[in-house]
mmCIF file of all heavy atoms in Angstrom:
data_model
loop_
_atom_site.group_PDB
_atom_site.id
_atom_site.type_symbol
_atom_site.label_atom_id
_atom_site.label_comp_id
_atom_site.label_asym_id
_atom_site.label_seq_id
_atom_site.Cartn_x
_atom_site.Cartn_y
_atom_site.Cartn_z
ATOM 1 N N VAL A 97 -20.658 15.415 18.924
ATOM 2 C CA VAL A 97 -20.458 16.869 19.183
ATOM 3 C C VAL A 97 -20.785 17.686 17.920
ATOM 4 O O VAL A 97 -21.393 18.742 18.021
ATOM 5 C CB VAL A 97 -19.017 17.157 19.690
ATOM 6 C CG1 VAL A 97 -18.862 18.633 19.996
ATOM 7 C CG2 VAL A 97 -18.688 16.279 20.883
ATOM 8 N N TYR A 119 -19.755 9.387 24.772
ATOM 9 C CA TYR A 119 -19.931 9.137 26.189
ATOM 10 C C TYR A 119 -20.270 7.686 26.538
ATOM 11 O O TYR A 119 -20.888 7.404 27.549
ATOM 12 C CB TYR A 119 -20.990 10.094 26.776
ATOM 13 C CG TYR A 119 -20.514 11.492 26.879
ATOM 14 C CD1 TYR A 119 -20.851 12.470 25.916
ATOM 15 C CD2 TYR A 119 -19.733 11.913 27.959
ATOM 16 C CE1 TYR A 119 -20.430 13.766 26.027
ATOM 17 C CE2 TYR A 119 -19.291 13.220 28.092
ATOM 18 C CZ TYR A 119 -19.634 14.144 27.104
ATOM 19 O OH TYR A 119 -19.197 15.462 27.201
ATOM 20 N N ILE A 190 -24.717 20.212 23.506
ATOM 21 C CA ILE A 190 -23.421 19.705 23.981
ATOM 22 C C ILE A 190 -22.293 20.511 23.309
ATOM 23 O O ILE A 190 -21.321 20.975 24.006
ATOM 24 C CB ILE A 190 -23.281 18.213 23.638
ATOM 25 C CG1 ILE A 190 -24.291 17.404 24.440
ATOM 26 C CG2 ILE A 190 -21.834 17.752 23.917
ATOM 27 C CD1 ILE A 190 -24.416 15.949 24.009
ATOM 28 N N LYS A 193 -22.023 24.027 24.787
ATOM 29 C CA LYS A 193 -21.362 24.029 26.163
ATOM 30 C C LYS A 193 -19.873 23.835 26.054
ATOM 31 O O LYS A 193 -19.113 24.545 26.732
ATOM 32 C CB LYS A 193 -22.009 22.859 26.959
ATOM 33 C CG LYS A 193 -21.379 22.615 28.344
ATOM 34 C CD LYS A 193 -21.758 23.663 29.342
ATOM 35 C CE LYS A 193 -21.184 23.336 30.754
ATOM 36 N NZ LYS A 193 -21.736 22.113 31.369
ATOM 37 N N GLU A 194 -19.425 22.950 25.241
ATOM 38 C CA GLU A 194 -17.994 22.670 25.098
ATOM 39 C C GLU A 194 -17.292 23.896 24.443
ATOM 40 O O GLU A 194 -16.168 24.243 24.850
ATOM 41 C CB GLU A 194 -17.763 21.416 24.234
ATOM 42 C CG GLU A 194 -18.200 20.158 24.926
ATOM 43 C CD GLU A 194 -17.744 18.903 24.222
ATOM 44 O OE1 GLU A 194 -17.075 19.020 23.168
ATOM 45 O OE2 GLU A 194 -18.085 17.764 24.700
ATOM 46 N N LYS A 195 -17.932 24.531 23.483
ATOM 47 C CA LYS A 195 -17.354 25.737 22.903
ATOM 48 C C LYS A 195 -17.194 26.848 23.911
ATOM 49 O O LYS A 195 -16.162 27.583 23.934
ATOM 50 C CB LYS A 195 -18.224 26.249 21.710
ATOM 51 C CG LYS A 195 -18.042 25.544 20.402
ATOM 52 C CD LYS A 195 -18.924 26.097 19.328
ATOM 53 C CE LYS A 195 -18.514 27.494 18.951
ATOM 54 N NZ LYS A 195 -19.324 28.017 17.805
ATOM 55 N N LYS A 196 -18.182 27.036 24.798
ATOM 56 C CA LYS A 196 -18.133 28.054 25.784
ATOM 57 C C LYS A 196 -16.989 27.834 26.770
ATOM 58 O O LYS A 196 -16.199 28.708 27.093
ATOM 59 C CB LYS A 196 -19.475 28.099 26.556
ATOM 60 C CG LYS A 196 -19.566 29.219 27.556
ATOM 61 C CD LYS A 196 -20.952 29.234 28.229
ATOM 62 C CE LYS A 196 -21.041 30.406 29.196
ATOM 63 N NZ LYS A 196 -22.386 30.415 29.877
ATOM 64 N N LEU A 197 -16.793 26.579 27.198
ATOM 65 C CA LEU A 197 -15.725 26.221 28.102
ATOM 66 C C LEU A 197 -14.384 26.389 27.471
ATOM 67 O O LEU A 197 -13.428 26.971 28.037
ATOM 68 C CB LEU A 197 -15.886 24.783 28.596
ATOM 69 C CG LEU A 197 -17.134 24.483 29.444
ATOM 70 C CD1 LEU A 197 -17.203 22.983 29.738
ATOM 71 C CD2 LEU A 197 -17.129 25.295 30.770
ATOM 72 N N THR A 198 -14.253 25.960 26.209
ATOM 73 C CA THR A 198 -12.984 26.076 25.477
ATOM 74 C C THR A 198 -12.634 27.539 25.237
ATOM 75 O O THR A 198 -11.476 27.963 25.385
ATOM 76 C CB THR A 198 -13.045 25.328 24.134
ATOM 77 O OG1 THR A 198 -13.488 23.960 24.386
ATOM 78 C CG2 THR A 198 -11.718 25.322 23.434
ATOM 79 N N GLY A 199 -13.646 28.328 24.834
ATOM 80 C CA GLY A 199 -13.433 29.737 24.642
ATOM 81 C C GLY A 199 -12.924 30.445 25.873
ATOM 82 O O GLY A 199 -12.035 31.310 25.828
ATOM 83 N N LEU A 200 -13.521 30.083 27.039
ATOM 84 C CA LEU A 200 -13.086 30.672 28.287
ATOM 85 C C LEU A 200 -11.643 30.305 28.595
ATOM 86 O O LEU A 200 -10.802 31.164 29.010
ATOM 87 C CB LEU A 200 -14.025 30.200 29.413
ATOM 88 C CG LEU A 200 -13.668 30.624 30.842
ATOM 89 C CD1 LEU A 200 -13.757 32.180 30.955
ATOM 90 C CD2 LEU A 200 -14.563 29.971 31.868
ATOM 91 N N PHE A 201 -11.278 29.076 28.381
ATOM 92 C CA PHE A 201 -9.921 28.589 28.626
ATOM 93 C C PHE A 201 -8.911 29.314 27.771
ATOM 94 O O PHE A 201 -7.886 29.797 28.235
ATOM 95 C CB PHE A 201 -9.840 27.090 28.416
ATOM 96 C CG PHE A 201 -8.545 26.445 28.811
ATOM 97 C CD1 PHE A 201 -8.140 26.396 30.121
ATOM 98 C CD2 PHE A 201 -7.722 25.822 27.864
ATOM 99 C CE1 PHE A 201 -6.952 25.831 30.486
ATOM 100 C CE2 PHE A 201 -6.545 25.223 28.209
ATOM 101 C CZ PHE A 201 -6.163 25.212 29.537
ATOM 102 N N LEU A 202 -9.194 29.394 26.465
ATOM 103 C CA LEU A 202 -8.324 30.125 25.542
ATOM 104 C C LEU A 202 -8.142 31.583 25.934
ATOM 105 O O LEU A 202 -7.060 32.159 25.922
ATOM 106 C CB LEU A 202 -8.815 29.989 24.096
ATOM 107 C CG LEU A 202 -8.852 28.595 23.489
ATOM 108 C CD1 LEU A 202 -9.573 28.613 22.182
ATOM 109 C CD2 LEU A 202 -7.426 28.059 23.295
ATOM 110 N N LEU A 205 -6.024 31.959 29.163
ATOM 111 C CA LEU A 205 -4.609 31.678 28.934
ATOM 112 C C LEU A 205 -3.904 32.835 28.208
ATOM 113 O O LEU A 205 -2.790 33.155 28.529
ATOM 114 C CB LEU A 205 -4.449 30.348 28.136
ATOM 115 C CG LEU A 205 -4.725 29.049 28.849
ATOM 116 C CD1 LEU A 205 -4.321 27.880 27.984
ATOM 117 C CD2 LEU A 205 -3.987 28.974 30.197
ATOM 118 N N ARG A 226 -12.865 24.518 15.542
ATOM 119 C CA ARG A 226 -12.112 23.630 16.440
ATOM 120 C C ARG A 226 -13.061 22.932 17.418
ATOM 121 O O ARG A 226 -14.193 23.288 17.598
ATOM 122 C CB ARG A 226 -11.036 24.425 17.184
ATOM 123 C CG ARG A 226 -11.591 25.526 18.121
ATOM 124 C CD ARG A 226 -10.844 25.772 19.404
ATOM 125 N NE ARG A 226 -9.430 25.774 19.361
ATOM 126 C CZ ARG A 226 -8.688 24.792 19.925
ATOM 127 N NH1 ARG A 226 -9.297 23.793 20.508
ATOM 128 N NH2 ARG A 226 -7.358 24.879 19.858
ATOM 129 N N THR A 227 -12.547 21.871 18.012
ATOM 130 C CA THR A 227 -13.262 21.151 19.072
ATOM 131 C C THR A 227 -12.736 21.591 20.402
ATOM 132 O O THR A 227 -11.944 22.551 20.511
ATOM 133 C CB THR A 227 -13.090 19.643 18.894
ATOM 134 O OG1 THR A 227 -11.650 19.297 19.084
ATOM 135 C CG2 THR A 227 -13.510 19.150 17.505
ATOM 136 N N ALA A 228 -13.154 20.887 21.463
ATOM 137 C CA ALA A 228 -12.804 21.279 22.812
ATOM 138 C C ALA A 228 -11.463 20.674 23.264
ATOM 139 O O ALA A 228 -11.208 20.548 24.472
ATOM 140 C CB ALA A 228 -13.909 20.891 23.779
ATOM 141 N N VAL A 229 -10.624 20.248 22.339
ATOM 142 C CA VAL A 229 -9.307 19.755 22.637
ATOM 143 C C VAL A 229 -8.277 20.908 22.483
ATOM 144 O O VAL A 229 -8.225 21.553 21.480
ATOM 145 C CB VAL A 229 -8.909 18.601 21.686
ATOM 146 C CG1 VAL A 229 -7.445 18.258 21.822
ATOM 147 C CG2 VAL A 229 -9.778 17.397 22.008
ATOM 148 N N VAL A 230 -7.550 21.158 23.600
ATOM 149 C CA VAL A 230 -6.603 22.282 23.591
ATOM 150 C C VAL A 230 -5.228 21.771 24.047
ATOM 151 O O VAL A 230 -5.086 21.152 25.126
ATOM 152 C CB VAL A 230 -7.038 23.431 24.523
ATOM 153 C CG1 VAL A 230 -6.028 24.559 24.511
ATOM 154 C CG2 VAL A 230 -8.413 23.929 24.140
ATOM 155 N N SER A 231 -4.214 21.951 23.213
ATOM 156 C CA SER A 231 -2.813 21.528 23.566
ATOM 157 C C SER A 231 -2.019 22.775 23.873
ATOM 158 O O SER A 231 -2.140 23.848 23.184
ATOM 159 C CB SER A 231 -2.205 20.787 22.407
ATOM 160 O OG SER A 231 -2.410 19.387 22.534
ATOM 161 N N ILE A 252 -6.080 17.477 38.326
ATOM 162 C CA ILE A 252 -6.437 17.802 36.924
ATOM 163 C C ILE A 252 -5.780 16.756 36.022
ATOM 164 O O ILE A 252 -4.573 16.696 35.923
ATOM 165 C CB ILE A 252 -6.008 19.214 36.547
ATOM 166 C CG1 ILE A 252 -6.726 20.242 37.446
ATOM 167 C CG2 ILE A 252 -6.295 19.468 35.049
ATOM 168 C CD1 ILE A 252 -6.188 21.673 37.254
ATOM 169 N N ARG A 277 -2.301 18.149 26.839
ATOM 170 C CA ARG A 277 -3.565 18.271 26.188
ATOM 171 C C ARG A 277 -4.703 18.281 27.186
ATOM 172 O O ARG A 277 -4.871 17.358 27.991
ATOM 173 C CB ARG A 277 -3.789 17.101 25.207
ATOM 174 C CG ARG A 277 -5.005 17.247 24.363
ATOM 175 C CD ARG A 277 -5.213 15.979 23.475
ATOM 176 N NE ARG A 277 -5.533 14.823 24.240
ATOM 177 C CZ ARG A 277 -5.665 13.589 23.761
ATOM 178 N NH1 ARG A 277 -5.400 13.372 22.464
ATOM 179 N NH2 ARG A 277 -5.925 12.564 24.538
ATOM 180 N N PHE A 278 -5.499 19.368 27.129
ATOM 181 C CA PHE A 278 -6.730 19.459 27.911
ATOM 182 C C PHE A 278 -7.917 19.117 27.027
ATOM 183 O O PHE A 278 -7.977 19.489 25.852
ATOM 184 C CB PHE A 278 -6.906 20.897 28.423
ATOM 185 C CG PHE A 278 -5.852 21.330 29.434
ATOM 186 C CD1 PHE A 278 -4.585 21.727 29.015
ATOM 187 C CD2 PHE A 278 -6.133 21.295 30.795
ATOM 188 C CE1 PHE A 278 -3.628 22.117 29.909
ATOM 189 C CE2 PHE A 278 -5.153 21.718 31.711
ATOM 190 C CZ PHE A 278 -3.907 22.153 31.269
ATOM 191 N N SER A 279 -8.891 18.421 27.604
ATOM 192 C CA SER A 279 -10.093 18.134 26.822
ATOM 193 C C SER A 279 -11.322 18.441 27.700
ATOM 194 O O SER A 279 -11.468 17.888 28.783
ATOM 195 C CB SER A 279 -10.152 16.611 26.496
ATOM 196 O OG SER A 279 -9.041 16.271 25.671
ATOM 197 N N PHE A 280 -12.208 19.328 27.217
ATOM 198 C CA PHE A 280 -13.306 19.757 27.992
ATOM 199 C C PHE A 280 -14.572 19.053 27.476
ATOM 200 O O PHE A 280 -14.786 18.914 26.261
ATOM 201 C CB PHE A 280 -13.465 21.285 27.866
ATOM 202 C CG PHE A 280 -12.284 22.033 28.400
ATOM 203 C CD1 PHE A 280 -11.404 22.618 27.486
ATOM 204 C CD2 PHE A 280 -11.997 22.094 29.712
ATOM 205 C CE1 PHE A 280 -10.275 23.278 27.900
ATOM 206 C CE2 PHE A 280 -10.871 22.756 30.172
ATOM 207 C CZ PHE A 280 -9.988 23.368 29.260
ATOM 208 N N GLY A 281 -15.380 18.629 28.416
ATOM 209 C CA GLY A 281 -16.634 17.928 28.027
ATOM 210 C C GLY A 281 -17.853 18.572 28.600
ATOM 211 O O GLY A 281 -17.761 19.581 29.362
ATOM 212 N N TYR A 282 -18.994 18.029 28.303
ATOM 213 C CA TYR A 282 -20.267 18.613 28.664
ATOM 214 C C TYR A 282 -20.411 18.737 30.200
ATOM 215 O O TYR A 282 -21.073 19.654 30.669
ATOM 216 C CB TYR A 282 -21.412 17.757 28.106
ATOM 217 C CG TYR A 282 -22.794 18.238 28.423
ATOM 218 C CD1 TYR A 282 -23.324 19.390 27.716
ATOM 219 C CD2 TYR A 282 -23.565 17.640 29.402
ATOM 220 C CE1 TYR A 282 -24.607 19.846 28.016
ATOM 221 C CE2 TYR A 282 -24.863 18.125 29.675
ATOM 222 C CZ TYR A 282 -25.341 19.202 29.009
ATOM 223 O OH TYR A 282 -26.592 19.668 29.291
ATOM 224 N N PHE A 283 -19.817 17.822 30.928
ATOM 225 C CA PHE A 283 -19.993 17.821 32.381
ATOM 226 C C PHE A 283 -18.952 18.655 33.118
ATOM 227 O O PHE A 283 -18.959 18.673 34.336
ATOM 228 C CB PHE A 283 -19.971 16.352 32.896
ATOM 229 C CG PHE A 283 -21.148 15.545 32.358
ATOM 230 C CD1 PHE A 283 -20.942 14.628 31.337
ATOM 231 C CD2 PHE A 283 -22.401 15.746 32.846
ATOM 232 C CE1 PHE A 283 -22.017 13.913 30.820
ATOM 233 C CE2 PHE A 283 -23.483 15.009 32.334
ATOM 234 C CZ PHE A 283 -23.283 14.096 31.334
ATOM 235 N N ASN A 284 -18.035 19.267 32.411
ATOM 236 C CA ASN A 284 -17.125 20.225 33.052
ATOM 237 C C ASN A 284 -17.872 21.543 33.322
ATOM 238 O O ASN A 284 -18.903 21.825 32.770
ATOM 239 C CB ASN A 284 -15.923 20.485 32.176
ATOM 240 C CG ASN A 284 -14.939 19.334 32.166
ATOM 241 O OD1 ASN A 284 -14.579 18.806 31.115
ATOM 242 N ND2 ASN A 284 -14.445 18.948 33.353
ATOM 243 N N THR A 285 -17.240 22.377 34.188
ATOM 244 C CA THR A 285 -17.873 23.643 34.561
ATOM 245 C C THR A 285 -16.877 24.756 34.324
ATOM 246 O O THR A 285 -15.685 24.566 34.183
ATOM 247 C CB THR A 285 -18.273 23.617 36.042
ATOM 248 O OG1 THR A 285 -17.097 23.566 36.854
ATOM 249 C CG2 THR A 285 -19.191 22.486 36.384
ATOM 250 N N GLU A 286 -17.413 26.000 34.303
ATOM 251 C CA GLU A 286 -16.597 27.164 34.166
ATOM 252 C C GLU A 286 -15.609 27.296 35.358
ATOM 253 O O GLU A 286 -14.450 27.724 35.214
ATOM 254 C CB GLU A 286 -17.404 28.422 34.026
ATOM 255 C CG GLU A 286 -18.181 28.525 32.730
ATOM 256 C CD GLU A 286 -18.907 29.850 32.560
ATOM 257 O OE1 GLU A 286 -18.653 30.763 33.386
ATOM 258 O OE2 GLU A 286 -19.706 30.011 31.636
ATOM 259 N N GLU A 288 -14.233 24.894 36.963
ATOM 260 C CA GLU A 288 -13.145 23.968 36.746
ATOM 261 C C GLU A 288 -12.162 24.500 35.732
ATOM 262 O O GLU A 288 -10.924 24.310 35.895
ATOM 263 C CB GLU A 288 -13.697 22.572 36.276
ATOM 264 C CG GLU A 288 -14.409 21.822 37.417
ATOM 265 C CD GLU A 288 -15.103 20.577 36.904
ATOM 266 O OE1 GLU A 288 -15.507 20.558 35.697
ATOM 267 O OE2 GLU A 288 -15.311 19.667 37.711
ATOM 268 N N VAL A 289 -12.634 25.145 34.703
ATOM 269 C CA VAL A 289 -11.758 25.774 33.715
ATOM 270 C C VAL A 289 -10.901 26.843 34.398
ATOM 271 O O VAL A 289 -9.656 26.876 34.208
ATOM 272 C CB VAL A 289 -12.579 26.396 32.573
ATOM 273 C CG1 VAL A 289 -11.679 27.196 31.639
ATOM 274 C CG2 VAL A 289 -13.287 25.315 31.751
ATOM 275 N N LEU A 290 -11.496 27.715 35.185
ATOM 276 C CA LEU A 290 -10.740 28.754 35.887
ATOM 277 C C LEU A 290 -9.766 28.143 36.870
ATOM 278 O O LEU A 290 -8.666 28.659 37.085
ATOM 279 C CB LEU A 290 -11.704 29.694 36.592
ATOM 280 C CG LEU A 290 -12.650 30.489 35.685
ATOM 281 C CD1 LEU A 290 -13.676 31.280 36.501
ATOM 282 C CD2 LEU A 290 -11.872 31.387 34.732
ATOM 283 N N ALA A 292 -8.237 25.314 36.466
ATOM 284 C CA ALA A 292 -7.109 24.777 35.664
ATOM 285 C C ALA A 292 -6.143 25.927 35.282
ATOM 286 O O ALA A 292 -4.919 25.792 35.306
ATOM 287 C CB ALA A 292 -7.628 24.124 34.422
ATOM 288 N N VAL A 293 -6.716 27.049 34.913
ATOM 289 C CA VAL A 293 -5.847 28.209 34.562
ATOM 290 C C VAL A 293 -5.067 28.677 35.750
ATOM 291 O O VAL A 293 -3.844 28.988 35.692
ATOM 292 C CB VAL A 293 -6.747 29.380 34.018
ATOM 293 C CG1 VAL A 293 -5.899 30.631 33.794
ATOM 294 C CG2 VAL A 293 -7.448 28.936 32.717
#
Side-chain angles (χ1 to χ4, degrees):
V97 183
Y119 287 98
I190 295 169
K193 173 74 177 294
E194 292 189 2
K195 279 181 67 175
K196 186 176 181 181
L197 295 175
T198 306
L200 177 63
F201 188 64
L202 294 171
L205 287 188
R226 60 146 41 251
T227 63
V229 170
V230 180
S231 268
I252 298 172
R277 187 184 68 186
F278 294 80
S279 300
F280 302 105
Y282 181 76
F283 296 104
N284 285 124
T285 65
E286 291 186 9
E288 289 172 333
V289 172
L290 296 175
V293 174

